[in-house]
Amino acid sequence: MQPTADQRRWMYRHMVLSRYLEERIEALYMEGKTPVFNMAKGPIPGEMHLSNGQEPCAVGVCAHLSADDIVTATHRPHHIAVAKGVDLDAMVAEIFGKATGLAGGRGGHMHLFDAAVNFSCSGIIGEGLGPAVGAALSRKLQGKSGVAVAFMGEGAANQGAFHEALNLAAVWQLPVVFVIEDNAWGISVAKQASTAVPRNDLRAAAYGIPGHHVADNDVEGVFAAAGEAIARAREGQGPSLIEIETARLAGHFMGDGEDYRPKGEKEGLQARDPIPRYRQALLDAGVLDEAGNAALVAEAHARVEAAIRFAQQSEFLPPEAALEQVFAGESS
Amino acid sequence: MSTNASTATATRKLTIARAMAEATAQEMRADPRVFVMGEDVGPLGGVFGNTRGLFDEFGPDRVRDTPISETAFIGAAVGAASDGMRPIVELMFVDFFGVCMDAIYNLMAKNTYFSGGKVKVPMVLMTSTGGGYSDAGQHSQCLYGTFAHLPGMKVVVPSNAFDAKGLMTAAIRDDNPVVFMYHKALQGMGWLGTEKGATVPVPEESYSVEIGRAAVVREGHDVTLVSLGVGVHHCLRAAKALEEEGFSAEVVDLRSLVPLDRDTVRASVARTGRLIVVDEDYHSYGVSGEIIASVAEHAGCRLKAAPKRVAYPDIPIPFAPTMEQWALPNADKVVAAFHQMMRES
C-alpha cells in the first residue's frame, strides 16, 4: 500500500509539528530546573516523556484513521495525539496544567483525553489495551463503523494485559489493531534482556492473528502495515499486531542521563533521525520542494508557538477546583 | 410505580440474585446500550445466580461469557463505557481484584477526572463478597473499605432483595462507575446458606433506590447499630435480643459506602448517644473506623459511651469452620459489645 502525495506531505507535516512541539516543551521544561534539576520546578513540572524519533509510528498509523476511530496511547503520547488531531491548544495548556487544558490541569502530559477525536492515553504500561478492545466491542455491538488502535511500547508485550487483550480481541474478532513502538529500551533495560523473542510481532501467531514487522523506523513501511491491518479490521476480519522498530532520541524521561546506552548508540540513532530522512525522500520523489518544505516547517512552528502562547497566557483553575469532576455531572 | 401495582406485587418475594437479574433484564429491555460480560454469566447464569435468564432472553452478543481475563474485560468495559455503552461486568469474587485492580482504580475510577468530566464511564462492576462457608481467605473477603477508600467510583452493598433491585437499576442508570458488592450469604443460592431476611417482597415494576442514602431499618433510642450487607441481619437479631432485655436499638443499613450518608448515621447517634458498627470486613482501616470517625469528628457529637466495633479480626480468613465462625461477626457479639459499653459508661 503506497501513500498518495497528499498523504506523504500530511505525514511529514505532522512529524515536523510533533518534533517542534517536543523541542519547545523540552526547552520550557528545563526552565527553573537548572543548575539543580528538580522535577517539581518550572512552568512544566512532573515527569516528561518526549517522543522524539518515534513520529513514524504515529503518522503511519493515524494517516488511516478519522476522528471517529479510537486511539489509546501511552505515557509517551504527544506524537500520537498530534497525528490523531487532538486540539493542540488544549493539549499544550493541559501539559502546562492550565484551566484551558483538556482536563483543566487535572491530568497533565500522561493523561490527555480528547473525546472529540476519540483519543486517550494513560501512564501505566499496557493499560490502554483493554479499553481499545472494549471500544472496538462497543462499535461492533452498536453496528457502528470505526476501529480502535492501541499503541504501546515493546515493554508492554511482557505485561499480562497484552496476552489477555490480544486473546480477547481475537476470540471476539474485534476491529482493533495493536501497535508496538519498539524503541529497544524499557527505561534502562534493553529489549533483548527482557523479551524472550526477538520480535514481538511473532507473538501474533499465539492468537491466530496477522503480525507485521516494520524495520528501520520506516514511515512508509508503517503506513503499509497499518493500512493492511486497519483495512482488515474495518472489513470485520478481526485484530492484527504490528511491531515497529523505532528510536527513542530523547531519554526515557527528561533528566535521564542514559548512561546505560552503549557508547555511540545515541549518535547512531540521531544520524538515522527519521525526519531528515523522510524529508530527503520526499524531496527526491518530487512531492516536496525546498520552498514547500520551508513553508511547511514555518507553518508548523507558528502553530506550535501559538499553542504555547495560548497555554502560557491561560490561567490556572482555582486550587479548590481539584475537588470537582471526580464524578460525572459535577460542575467545573 | 403505581400504588395498585405495588400492592399487587407486594407479596412476591425474591432472592437478591433474582432481584439483580430482574433489574438488569428490565434495563436491558429499555436501553440497548446495556450489556453484561464476565465469567460464567451466560448460559450458566452466573456462579451466584445474578444473571440467570439473561442469556436466553438477550443472546450471546449482550450477555457475554469472557475468558478468565479480568484485566482485559474490565478494561474493555471501561473502553465500551467511554464509547457510549453501559456495560455491566462481573468480578466473580471480590478477592480476585488483585489481578485487575489497575483497570478498576486507575482507569474506571479516574478517567472522568482526568478528562475534566468530559469522558463518562457509566458501568457497573458487580462482585461477590463474604464468607461463612469455609472457602478460606482467597474467596471469602469483603474488602468494602478497599474499594470505598479509592476515589472516583460509587460503592453499594445491599442487604435485601428490594434494595438490591433498586440499587442495581440506579447503578445501571448512573453516569458513573458503580461497584455493586453483593454478599454470598444473602444471594439465595441453594448451595450457600442464605439469610432468610434478605429474601423480601420485591415489586415487579422497575424502580430505583437512590445511591447514597442509608436506611433506618429499625427505630430505637438506646443505641445505634450501623452495618451493611449481611451485618444488617446480625444487627436486627441483636436488636431483637436487646429488646427482650429492655433495651431499644436503632439499626442503620448504610446501603451505600460511596457516597456515604453520614447525616443519617449522625442523626441516629444524636438520638441514641451510643454507637456500635458491625462489619464483616477487616477491623483496621475500614468501614467501622470511618463510621466512628464520621460521628466523632462532627461538631455536634455527644456520646454517652465510647463507640465500639464488631469487625473481622486483622487476619487472613481461615478454612476450618471452628476458626472461621469464631472470627466472624454475629448477633451475640453485637449484644456483648452493647453490654460491655453499658458496663464501661
Side-chain angles (χ1 to χ4, degrees):
Chain A
M1 188 180 290
Q2 291 283 324
T4 65
D6 278 346
Q7 285 172 320
R8 286 173 160 165
R9 282 188 290 265
W10 183 92
M11 291 194 287
Y12 175 61
R13 185 167 69 245
H14 283 81
M15 290 171 73
V16 169
L17 188 67
S18 176
R19 179 66 63 86
Y20 188 65
L21 173 66
E22 298 297 55
E23 287 170 357
R24 292 293 287 124
I25 288 175
E26 180 173 7
L28 291 158
Y29 182 82
M30 289 312 294
E31 282 182 12
K33 295 191 181 71
T34 53
V36 178
F37 184 80
N38 178 340
M39 200 174 271
K41 301 286 188 189
I44 307 176
E47 276 189 83
M48 178 53 63
H49 312 84
L50 297 177
S51 64
N52 306 35
Q54 299 189 190
E55 298 89 351
C57 312
V59 299
V61 172
C62 292
H64 301 283
L65 302 178
S66 71
D68 183 52
D69 296 308
I70 301 110
V71 161
T72 63
T74 69
H75 59 289
R76 195 182 307 285
H78 299 168
H79 56 318
I80 305 166
V82 165
K84 187 64 172 70
V86 170
D87 181 327
L88 198 66
D89 290 339
M91 171 180 158
V92 176
E94 185 61 30
I95 291 167
F96 276 74
K98 295 295 184 71
T100 53
L102 291 165
R106 294 177 183 84
H109 119 94
M110 280 189 280
H111 309 287
L112 303 169
F113 290 77
D114 188 349
V117 296
N118 288 292
F119 177 89
S120 66
C121 62
S122 65
I124 292 177
I125 301 307
E127 201 176 48
L129 279 65
V133 171
L137 172 64
S138 164
R139 297 301 170 91
K140 190 173 181 176
L141 286 174
Q142 296 182 74
K144 284 186 184 170
S145 63
V147 299
V149 178
F151 284 86
M152 74 200 92
E154 86 289 342
N158 298 326
Q159 276 278 19
F162 176 88
H163 166 61
E164 291 192 18
L166 268 71
N167 180 65
L168 187 62
V171 80
W172 286 352
Q173 285 292 289
L174 297 174
V176 56
V177 176
F178 300 97
V179 177
I180 301 174
E181 301 179 82
D182 170 20
N183 66 21
W185 291 93
I187 307 186
S188 69
V189 177
K191 183 187 184 188
Q192 70 263 26
S194 66
T195 307
V197 286
R199 284 171 31 193
N200 285 309
D201 57 292
L202 301 174
R203 301 193 195 209
Y207 309 102
I209 64 173
H212 301 268
H213 184 254
V214 180
D216 197 27
N217 216 7
D218 175 27
V219 179
E220 298 198 1
V222 177
F223 181 90
E228 199 175 314
I230 290 167
R232 181 185 163 86
R234 289 199 200 286
E235 287 158 14
Q237 296 178 57
S240 302
L241 173 65
I242 302 171
E243 182 163 74
I244 304 159
E245 278 179 10
T246 190
R248 198 186 74 195
L249 298 182
H252 167 66
F253 63 104
M254 288 290 297
D256 181 359
E258 296 192 85
D259 293 337
Y260 46 81
R261 280 196 193 263
K263 255 196 166 58
E265 182 182 90
K266 194 78 176 279
E267 293 71 18
L269 292 175
Q270 272 156 351
R272 303 277 303 150
D273 187 327
I275 293 182
R277 276 168 61 197
Y278 199 48
R279 178 174 60 233
Q280 194 57 51
L282 296 193
L283 290 169
D284 292 347
V287 297
L288 188 71
D289 58 24
E290 290 292 357
N293 177 57
L296 180 154
V297 169
E299 187 238 311
H301 288 198
R303 182 67 195 90
V304 169
E305 293 300 342
I308 289 169
R309 264 196 313 279
F310 174 79
Q312 286 173 327
Q313 290 167 5
S314 295
E315 303 293 328
F316 290 104
L317 283 177
E320 59 272 23
L323 298 174
E324 296 166 356
Q325 307 297 2
V326 178
F327 290 104
E330 293 180 350
S331 65
S332 66
Chain B
M1 174 167 79
S2 76
T3 314
N4 284 348
S6 68
T7 310
T9 57
T11 55
R12 186 196 64 152
K13 287 187 176 183
L14 286 186
T15 63
I16 285 186
R18 294 277 185 193
M20 288 172 70
E22 184 167 282
T24 304
Q26 286 173 340
E27 291 308 296
M28 288 181 78
R29 282 175 211 133
D31 187 344
R33 299 171 300 173
V34 180
F35 72 104
V36 182
M37 59 180 168
E39 292 153 12
D40 307 290
V41 300
L44 186 72
V47 168
F48 303 109
N50 40 306
T51 57
R52 197 177 294 170
L54 299 179
F55 183 87
D56 288 343
E57 181 173 352
F58 300 103
D61 271 354
R62 295 182 72 193
V63 183
R64 309 180 75 91
D65 275 333
T66 63
I68 305 168
S69 302
E70 290 87 353
T71 292
F73 75 73
I74 295 174
V78 175
S82 308
D83 195 54
M85 299 294 283
R86 301 184 89 84
I88 302 167
V89 285
E90 173 148 284
L91 177 63
M92 188 188 288
F93 289 76
V94 73
D95 315 68
F96 300 172
F97 87 98
V99 300
C100 59
M101 196 57 165
D102 186 60
I104 297 169
Y105 89 119
N106 269 328
L107 288 175
M108 182 183 91
K110 289 179 185 158
N111 280 4
T112 296
Y113 191 73
F114 280 157
S115 67
K118 296 184 190 81
V119 173
K120 294 184 177 69
V121 189
M123 60 181 278
V124 181
L125 175 69
M126 55 185 182
T127 187
S128 74
T129 68
Y133 61 104
S134 287
D135 217 1
Q138 294 180 341
H139 294 77
S140 300
Q141 299 169 93
C142 287
L143 304 178
Y144 302 132
T146 304
F147 284 78
H149 178 65
L150 298 162
M153 47 191 169
K154 299 185 177 180
V155 180
V156 299
V157 185
S159 70
N160 63 71
F162 180 91
D163 287 348
K165 180 174 174 182
L167 287 169
M168 180 55 93
T169 301
I172 296 168
R173 293 177 185 175
D174 203 297
D175 278 343
N176 292 286
V178 179
V179 183
F180 189 104
M181 306 180 86
Y182 58 89
H183 195 288
K184 279 165 269 172
L186 305 180
Q187 278 299 92
M189 300 298 288
W191 50 277
L192 279 167
T194 292
E195 165 60 56
K196 286 196 167 48
T199 303
V200 298
V202 176
E204 283 179 28
E205 304 81 5
S206 180
Y207 63 94
S208 290
V209 167
E210 187 182 349
I211 295 172
R213 287 263 178 276
V216 176
V217 293
R218 180 189 170 108
E219 293 187 349
H221 48 78
D222 292 323
V223 61
T224 297
L225 309 177
V226 176
S227 194
L228 70 171
V230 75
V232 172
H233 302 281
H234 301 324
C235 290
L236 287 170
R237 259 192 289 280
K240 210 169 259 177
L242 290 172
E243 187 176 33
E244 285 165 19
E245 299 175 15
F247 296 107
S248 154
E250 181 147 303
V251 178
V252 176
D253 180 351
L254 291 173
R255 301 198 292 193
S256 164
L257 291 176
V258 181
L260 179 59
D261 185 358
R262 293 182 169 90
D263 290 345
T264 293
V265 174
R266 285 170 180 155
S268 174
V269 178
R271 287 191 292 274
T272 64
R274 297 183 184 89
L275 171 63
I276 299 173
V277 187
V278 181
D279 183 15
E280 193 183 309
D281 198 5
Y282 301 117
H283 180 96
S284 299
Y285 307 103
V287 172
S288 58
E290 183 60 36
I291 295 298
I292 291 168
S294 296
V295 168
E297 71 185 356
H298 191 243
C301 173
R302 300 287 181 275
L303 286 170
K304 297 173 188 162
K308 296 217 168 291
R309 49 181 150 174
V310 177
Y312 204 89
D314 295 327
I315 55 169
I317 296 165
F319 160 69
T322 45
M323 287 193 272
E324 188 191 15
Q325 296 302 326
W326 174 82
L328 280 167
N330 57 38
D332 290 345
K333 291 184 182 181
V334 179
V335 170
F338 178 74
H339 289 159
Q340 193 184 345
M341 176 181 271
M342 297 306 278
R343 280 196 301 276
E344 287 170 358
S345 56

